Amino acid sequence: MIIRIEFCYEADTEYMICPAKVGKNIRQLQHDFDKWLYDKNNNHPYWEIVHVDEDGNKKYGVYFNAEAFVYWMNNRKFKKGKKVARLIESPNKPPKKTIRF
């Protein structure tokens, strides 16, 4: 199944391909990814310092793209050693679903 991935801060649209049984739950997967991404206990490379106050305390935010979502699906959510999702340059047929971050 082809999924269109859009971001509110980027003009580019990215596309992902995955099995239909994975794609049918894409919105729940997006929700689970968001929970993982913003969990301060998770040490992942998508944290970015967004502010340092006058006492040197750092405030963090996240910076990510579709590659982060695919990474999470392949390495965190579905850990059976089989890649369930990958990014594609341009789809050969219309996407079945669209998700927006």
Side-chain angles (χ1 to χ4, degrees):
M1 175 183 289
I2 297 173
I3 310 289
R4 178 193 334 255
I5 303 172
E6 297 177 348
F7 291 87
C8 62
Y9 57 86
E10 291 182 9
D12 294 337
T13 297
E14 297 189 66
Y15 298 93
M16 176 185 84
I17 191 166
C18 63
K21 68 181 185 175
V22 172
K24 74 179 183 175
N25 296 317
I26 199 68
R27 285 179 183 75
Q28 180 61 49
L29 290 168
Q30 179 185 14
H31 175 73
D32 294 348
F33 169 72
D34 283 341
K35 285 174 47 178
W36 173 82
L37 186 69
Y38 289 95
D39 182 344
K40 293 180 181 175
N41 295 316
N42 289 328
N43 184 19
H44 55 66
Y46 311 110
W47 291 112
E48 186 172 280
I49 298 171
V50 294
H51 178 72
V52 180
D53 66 17
E54 53 275 345
D55 295 327
N57 298 314
K58 298 174 184 174
K59 300 282 183 182
Y60 290 88
V62 294
Y63 182 77
F64 67 100
N65 56 18
E67 189 175 301
F69 184 53
V70 169
Y71 166 83
W72 173 81
M73 288 180 64
N74 289 332
N75 297 287
R76 300 292 180 192
K77 184 66 176 177
F78 303 100
K79 298 182 193 176
K80 295 183 179 162
K82 183 177 177 184
K83 302 294 182 199
V84 298
R86 65 181 169 87
L87 294 177
I88 57 174
E89 287 293 319
S90 57
N92 56 2
K93 54 188 172 183
K96 294 273 187 182
K97 295 188 177 188
T98 299
I99 57 174
R100 293 175 182 86
F101 287 99

